[in-house]
Amino acid sequence: MKNNKGRKVFGWSLLLIALGFFCLQMGSLFVQARFDASYIDDRLFYILNMIIVICLVLSIWLLLKPAKKITISLTIIFALFVIANGVLLVNRMEDTKNILSVSPNWQHVLSIKQDVQTKEAVYYRSYYGILARPKERLPYEMDGEYQVEWLAKDVAAFTYKATDQSIQQFIATYGDRGSGTSYYYVGGQTHGVWQAKDTKVINDQEGISITHNGETEVFDWDHIEQFGTLAIVLKRNNEATWTIALKENFEVHSDASRETVGNIALYKASLKESEPILLNYQGEKE
């Protein structure tokens, strides 16, 4: 008796899961047509299709106990459907490369989709966890190699090799250090001298100089690109060299005379693994 009850509960649970994912699939198709949005990872569509079918066939078997011939027929039909979706999934992966990275606090998802044939890559802005809309095309075609590093809970540095073999960086930002109602310049907010153990950053009217392991590089403002309101990329010879990002504790003030509060992170643009350097504010340049 208990076995029959457990069998029915499990069967109904699987049926509800199948119906829930089916509704999700229908909703995603509507959203895609109406709002130009899609799953944050294209592979999800085919994976969910397979989960729906597997849950459905198991629920039928548990709840209805069909005759052997019917069970075999349904199993063959559903198996063919699963195999077809598996083939479509593989084909999709050959056409589009999906790059995903979840923020340390699980609040944001970096999503970049690359057309494998043309090498063009598009950054997608995530909504509600699993949906995303195309936000921006990366300015350089990707060669394939890349690194993702979260410089703060809402700042992701995407470093990649372009087809011209240059190193480029795209910074995805999801937050703000001010009121969120006005734009500000990261370069202006980080003026002054910043120091770590063997690293020093000086930000003044001429530009930004970085001294790291005894070597100094200077970047004028014409070679500094801002992303959102949280990060800047310093470039040399049309290549990304360093990124400076505002940490979560950085406070943006409209009044320049107020004391600078918070830290910044300095990150080397490289395909090799490197750790961001946390810098403390030392004061204005003397």
Side-chain angles (χ1 to χ4, degrees), residues 28-41:
S28 73
L29 293 175
F30 171 77
V31 170
Q32 185 172 0
R34 185 73 181 270
F35 303 105
D36 190 27
S38 59
Y39 283 125
I40 200 163
D41 189 317

Side-chain angles (χ1 to χ4, degrees), residues 23-228:
C23 293
L24 180 63
Q25 293 286 67
M26 294 299 101
S28 73
L29 293 175
F30 171 77
V31 170
Q32 185 172 0
R34 185 73 181 270
F35 303 105
D36 190 27
S38 59
Y39 283 125
I40 200 163
D41 189 317
D42 294 342
R43 294 168 291 191
L44 273 175
F45 181 80
Y46 306 101
I47 292 172
L48 289 179
N49 277 345
M50 290 187 276
I51 293 175
I52 290 171
V53 169
I54 292 171
C55 289
L56 187 59
V57 71
L58 288 175
S59 65
I60 291 174
W61 181 68
L62 290 170
L63 295 174
L64 302 179
K65 299 180 182 176
K68 188 176 180 180
K69 288 184 178 179
I70 297 176
T71 300
I72 294 173
S73 300
L74 288 175
T75 302
I76 292 173
I77 293 171
F78 288 145
L80 290 174
F81 185 82
V82 170
I83 292 171
N85 271 273
V87 172
L88 292 172
L89 173 62
V90 172
N91 289 337
R92 187 66 179 178
M93 290 170 64
E94 290 177 350
D95 293 336
T96 304
K97 183 176 183 179
N98 288 264
I99 299 169
L100 292 181
S101 180
V102 182
S103 64
N105 62 353
W106 293 80
Q107 296 295 311
H108 310 290
V109 180
L110 169 74
S111 174
I112 292 176
K113 301 180 184 182
Q114 183 192 19
D115 188 310
V116 175
Q117 298 298 323
T118 65
K119 306 293 184 184
E120 292 182 344
V122 177
Y123 163 63
Y124 278 69
R125 189 78 173 188
S126 60
Y127 295 93
Y128 308 112
I130 61 171
L131 297 176
R133 296 182 67 187
K135 175 73 173 179
E136 186 175 351
R137 186 181 301 278
L138 272 59
Y140 298 90
E141 296 172 355
M142 280 181 60
D143 182 50
E145 295 183 67
Y146 67 89
Q147 280 280 348
V148 179
E149 180 73 30
W150 288 86
L151 306 180
K153 293 177 181 177
D154 49 8
V155 182
F158 180 71
T159 308
Y160 63 100
K161 180 184 282 186
T163 51
D164 63 2
Q165 303 303 299
S166 63
I167 301 298
Q168 304 295 334
Q169 271 191 331
F170 176 83
I171 312 299
T173 63
Y174 302 90
D176 194 90
R177 300 292 180 260
S179 62
T181 58
S182 60
Y183 192 80
Y184 55 84
Y185 291 98
V186 174
Q189 291 292 331
T190 56
H191 61 86
V193 180
W194 299 81
Q195 182 81 50
K197 184 178 180 182
D198 56 357
T199 305
K200 187 175 186 178
V201 173
I202 300 176
N203 179 333
D204 59 21
Q205 293 182 344
E206 303 299 323
I208 296 176
S209 70
I210 295 176
T211 302
H212 179 64
N213 289 335
E215 296 183 3
T216 299
E217 299 173 90
V218 180
F219 303 86
D220 61 43
W221 291 108
D222 291 334
H223 295 87
I224 298 174
E225 181 180 5
Q226 177 156 328
F227 289 82

Side-chain angles (χ1 to χ4, degrees), residues 9-22 55 59:
V9 170
F10 191 44
W12 278 110
S13 299
L14 289 172
L15 183 60
L16 289 175
I17 291 172
L19 289 174
F21 280 139
F22 178 77
C55 289
S59 65

